[in-house]
Amino acid sequence: HVQLVESGGGSVQAGGSLRLSCVGSGYDFSMHCMGWFRQAPGKEREGVATIDPYGISRYADSVKGRFAISKDNAENTLYLQMNSLASEDTAMYYCAYASLTMSPRSQLVSYWYTYWGQGTQVTVS
């Protein structure tokens, strides 16, 4: 059974930090992109950060310089370090695995991702 489970969300004051984790099981998650996506109430899901099989990361403009994505292939774990959090970062955060090769331009587009976690809520006040 393929499963991705996020954790690490919570409530934090503006300017604070959180570290999200996503543990995968039942699949080889090292061959294609993994990413973090978020969705706020009333807004569409947006790509936050991705990391490809070569360790190259890409970020939405809104989080560049504040967030950092990383992964531990041995533990099938994806991380998102979030610093300098602001109210606009409030959303449900999801991790995902693509299972196909994408162009860099497509890597922040949720359509291309096959496996998804259930999400972890981040609230910034």
Side-chain angles (χ1 to χ4, degrees):
H1 177 64
V2 179
Q3 189 171 353
L4 294 167
V5 180
E6 303 96 335
S7 63
S11 297
V12 63
Q13 293 183 344
S17 298
L18 285 173
R19 189 192 193 204
L20 306 184
S21 299
C22 173
V23 179
S25 61
Y27 206 78
D28 180 0
F29 297 98
S30 67
M31 300 301 295
H32 298 99
C33 284
M34 296 194 75
W36 288 97
F37 297 80
R38 67 186 181 187
Q39 187 166 22
K43 301 180 67 176
E44 68 179 54
R45 184 177 297 175
E46 64 173 341
V48 176
T50 65
I51 185 164
D52 72 13
Y54 308 102
I56 305 301
S57 59
R58 294 174 174 82
Y59 299 91
D61 289 342
S62 60
V63 307
K64 286 180 180 177
R66 300 189 297 122
F67 291 10
I69 189 171
S70 61
K71 64 178 179 178
D72 183 338
N73 286 331
E75 299 294 333
N76 286 333
T77 303
L78 183 72
Y79 301 98
L80 184 67
Q81 179 66 47
M82 304 186 295
N83 299 322
S84 300
L85 285 163
S87 60
E88 57 263 33
D89 298 313
T90 295
M92 183 73 74
Y93 284 71
Y94 302 89
C95 70
Y97 179 69
S99 74
L100 79 168
T101 300
M102 297 173 289
S103 68
R105 185 179 179 87
S106 299
Q107 289 172 359
L108 285 165
V109 179
S110 62
Y111 174 85
W112 301 107
Y113 288 77
T114 302
Y115 300 107
W116 293 82
Q118 292 298 304
T120 185
Q121 178 67 40
V122 172
T123 301
V124 184
S125 61

